[in-house]
Amino acid sequence: MSTSSAADRPGRSGPGTEPLPRHGSGTPRSAETLGRPGAGRPGPGGGPDRQADDTGPVPIVGNRPAPPLRPVGNRMPPAGAATDGAAPPDGAAVPGDDRVPGDDRVRGDDAGPGDDAGLEDDAGPGDDAAPTSTAMPRPEVAELPTTERPAGGRAGRDLRAAIGVGVGLVALVVTSLFVWRPAFLAVLTVAILVAVVELSRALGAGRFHPPLVPLLVGTLAMEGLAWSRGPTGLVVGFLLTALAVVLWRLGHGPAGYLKDAASGVLVALYVPLLAGFAVLLLVPDDGAVRVLAFIATVVASDVGGYAAGVLFGKHPMAPSISPKKSWEGMGGSVVACMLMATPFVVLWLGGPWWSGLVFGAALAVSATVGDLGESLIKRDLGIKDMGNLLPGHGGIMDRLDSLLPSAAVAYLLLSVLAPV
């Protein structure tokens, strides 16, 4: 009968050794079986594969037991979080490790003083702080479409900057209108040129590349012809611009020709052609009042719709395009537009008593359609704003979305309700 040391006996541990328990057949167990629930009861001397309180197997990582599970933040890891005995892959979460894979920030109670990364347990209600580059966005922000995500601050924008820029724009428009009407034409033309550039660059997010040079030249031609030749000059300028876009794009080859040419014609139609109707409103002697009536009514639509939507909005109008717009807000826009338009059309332009109601209701609809139309384009392109030129507002194009279609509606209605 041969003798064996304590280190050679199953279930016993000798000094400096970590023996593996053996099956009944004498075959040594692998490290993998030690990590399975219920595998390897301790031998007479107690084995290394179970804790003293028999709460479950100690997972083996390589040849060493893994550290005990620790809470992450205020939560314990799930019961099945232990590994199967194999070392976790690179970047994977290890039980007991408080870090997220790929994130070197310490989370939970280990966060050091002054760490202002937006952690889940530390964020206060309504905290919409933008996540850092390594942090995942908060669920309520991540689920929002790109065009509805807040851009900064609790209101989504810098409210002070937005109000300051808005007041400055109103002062510029009113001053140029009543001091010298050609000055307003110059201001409008510069704004349209910038809007054309913004929309053309934004379309690049969808891999559309409208020819910019013929669009800019065509914008100058359309606004100038509308001022000097009236509606006929505006239409002729648009047709020439569309032809120039189609011909210019030929020089860049056939790849993407239809997309680029079609997007260029769309830009010419959407921005300078519709803006040309504002120039047509400016041409008569009372053109300053006509332009001011149209702009003030559109502003009233925005203000009335926002107020009514915040106070009473419950039924979304177009949730897939703009979830914040409601039918209650639309009702507020109509009422506000009627109240704003009536004094302009009836008292200052000499229209019948009901003309202000018709003008206001029509512009409320056109302003809302224009706003939804631009939101649809931005949603399709996956962008928040067309530009960033105006702090708190986005780009010039973001301020013209309601005005552009309303200019055409205002010109056509005033030609009937209050003809020159």
Side-chain angles (χ1 to χ4, degrees):
M1 180 175 178
S2 61
T3 61
S4 60
S5 65
D8 297 327
R9 297 171 190 165
R12 300 294 180 90
S13 57
T17 63
E18 293 185 6
L20 297 176
R22 300 178 179 270
H23 292 284
S25 60
T27 305
R29 288 191 179 183
S30 65
E32 294 181 356
T33 60
L34 296 180
R36 295 175 185 157
R41 292 283 178 177
D49 57 328
R50 276 198 179 271
Q51 298 176 4
D53 58 357
D54 200 28
T55 58
V58 176
I60 302 300
V61 180
N63 294 325
R64 300 187 305 276
L69 298 179
R70 292 186 294 156
V72 180
N74 294 326
R75 299 182 297 277
M76 284 292 294
T83 63
D84 257 351
D90 292 339
V94 178
D97 192 350
D98 288 342
R99 293 174 296 175
V100 175
D103 187 0
D104 293 330
R105 294 180 295 109
V106 181
R107 305 177 70 87
D109 297 333
D110 297 331
D115 185 5
D116 55 359
L119 301 182
E120 203 173 58
D121 295 333
D122 298 330
D127 184 6
D128 290 331
T132 63
S133 58
T134 57
M136 291 295 293
R138 299 184 53 149
E140 59 270 24
V141 176
E143 292 175 0
L144 288 175
T146 304
T147 56
E148 301 299 331
R149 295 182 186 178
R154 296 186 180 273
R157 295 189 184 274
D158 188 343
L159 192 57
R160 289 186 178 180
I163 294 175
V165 171
V167 171
L169 292 176
V170 170
L172 179 62
V173 168
V174 173
T175 302
S176 61
L177 272 176
F178 289 97
V179 171
W180 191 42
R181 282 183 297 154
F184 175 78
L185 175 63
V187 171
L188 177 63
T189 302
V190 171
I192 298 306
L193 290 172
V194 175
V196 167
V197 174
E198 289 180 346
L199 181 56
S200 299
R201 289 179 177 175
L203 288 173
R207 297 185 179 180
F208 298 92
H209 303 286
L212 189 57
V213 172
L215 286 173
L216 295 177
V217 175
T219 296
L220 294 173
M222 276 189 271
E223 310 313 321
L225 289 173
W227 175 258
S228 60
R229 293 293 184 261
T232 303
L234 177 60
V235 173
V236 170
F238 168 71
L239 294 177
L240 292 176
T241 301
L243 180 61
V245 166
V246 172
L247 295 178
W248 186 281
R249 181 55 184 79
L250 286 174
H252 296 275
Y257 174 79
L258 289 179
K259 292 174 59 177
D260 296 346
S263 63
V265 174
L266 172 65
V267 172
L269 171 66
Y270 186 22
V271 186
L273 177 63
L274 292 180
F277 287 96
V279 178
L280 296 178
L281 285 171
L282 186 65
V283 171
D285 293 336
D286 60 351
V289 177
R290 292 173 181 267
V291 171
L292 189 60
F294 134 70
I295 294 178
T297 304
V298 173
V299 172
S301 173
D302 292 340
V303 174
Y306 175 79
V310 169
L311 295 176
F312 310 109
K314 294 182 180 178
H315 301 87
M317 177 184 294
S320 62
I321 300 175
S322 182
K324 296 180 181 179
K325 286 195 177 297
S326 64
W327 287 106
E328 291 80 5
M330 179 64 188
S333 294
V334 172
V335 172
C337 286
M338 288 180 173
L339 293 177
M340 179 63 72
T342 299
F344 281 100
V345 180
V346 175
L347 299 180
W348 296 326
L349 296 176
W353 66 268
W354 47 266
S355 59
L357 304 179
V358 174
F359 185 80
L363 260 65
V365 174
S366 64
T368 302
V369 170
D371 194 6
L372 290 175
E374 197 201 28
S375 295
L376 185 62
I377 294 174
K378 293 190 292 186
R379 183 66 51 86
D380 187 26
L381 297 175
I383 58 177
K384 172 71 176 174
D385 293 320
M386 290 290 187
N388 55 7
L389 182 63
L390 304 177
H393 291 268
I396 293 288
M397 190 63 200
D398 296 295
R399 293 301 88 206
L400 296 177
D401 54 358
S402 301
L403 291 167
L404 289 172
S406 298
V409 174
Y411 173 76
L412 296 175
L413 283 179
L414 290 181
S415 299
V416 176
L417 299 175
V420 179

